[in-house]
Amino acid sequence: MNYSSYLKLLSPFQEQLSGVYSTATLVISILLVLWILNFVVGLITKIFSLGKTIGTFYRSFLHRYIRIMIYSFINLFSKKKLAK
């Protein structure tokens, strides 16, 4: 039995399938790139929102106390330098 003649008949079908495969691969690649871009933009948005919330809380409630502590700490060391 000679199968080479049957393989020659399947050649156009194989070419069609390879075209469909390459097109599907391209579509999947484009969708993957778009999903990654959407994921990165979503992360950037959430991180910005979190930073803004923490910064607002810090500036409203903690900044005045921490500023006083830092100034006291700096003045503590600068007075020691002047005493020498």
Side-chain angles (χ1 to χ4, degrees):
M1 213 173 185
N2 191 2
Y3 291 113
S4 63
S5 61
Y6 293 124
L7 291 176
K8 288 180 185 176
L9 288 175
L10 292 176
S11 177
F13 183 69
Q14 182 183 7
E15 290 175 8
Q16 286 288 336
L17 281 180
S18 68
V20 169
Y21 176 76
S22 66
T23 304
T25 304
L26 177 66
V27 168
I28 289 172
S29 299
I30 290 173
L31 287 175
L32 185 65
V33 166
L34 288 175
W35 182 82
I36 289 172
L37 284 174
N38 186 29
F39 181 72
V40 169
V41 168
L43 277 178
I44 290 171
T45 304
K46 289 178 183 177
I47 290 171
F48 175 79
S49 174
L50 179 66
K52 185 170 175 153
T53 304
I54 291 172
T56 303
F57 176 78
Y58 167 78
R59 191 71 178 161
S60 298
F61 299 108
L62 302 175
H63 180 70
R64 70 184 100 167
Y65 304 113
I66 292 177
R67 186 182 65 182
I68 291 170
M69 284 184 354
I70 290 173
Y71 284 154
S72 300
F73 190 71
I74 290 172
N75 287 334
L76 182 69
F77 286 113
S78 65
K79 287 181 183 178
K80 282 185 178 180
K81 285 183 179 180
L82 292 176
K84 288 182 179 181

